[in-house]
Amino acid sequence: VKFTDDREVTVVAKGQDTGRQLRLQIKELTGTPISAQRLFFQGKVLEHTDCLRDKKVTTGVVVNCFPREAQPGEEEEMLANDPGPPMSQQQVQQQQQAQQQQQQQ
């Protein structure tokens, strides 16, 4: 993860991790609040619920962090409203296939 002030941190993440989980690791390593992290990969915003694998975030890539000023209470609200990790595209396809098989029976 590269910051606008030229700081860089190495984060170890899994393909099924989400933007939220990546932000939590960045917070642990740098102290930057989750709500202050604007993450971009290949010019696109990495949302809280995005699955890293689906966004093609893999080993050795650089995710850019553009910190912004966090508002009081914003981080707690973000964490409280977080629906949890989403299903990957592969998991969605597997679920759809299982539903189709059940309907055929």
Side-chain angles (χ1 to χ4, degrees), residues 35-77:
S35 59
Q37 299 174 30
R38 291 179 44 225
L39 300 182
F40 290 82
F41 178 66
Q42 296 182 336
K44 296 180 182 174
V45 174
L46 187 59
E47 298 290 348
H48 219 53
T49 56
D50 287 340
C51 179
L52 301 183
R53 179 184 303 117
D54 293 346
K55 295 298 179 179
K56 309 288 190 264
V57 177
T58 59
T59 302
V61 301
V62 174
V63 173
N64 294 292
C65 183
F66 295 85
R68 65 180 183 89
E69 190 172 324
Q71 302 300 316
E74 185 177 27
E75 184 156 345
E76 292 79 12
E77 183 180 333

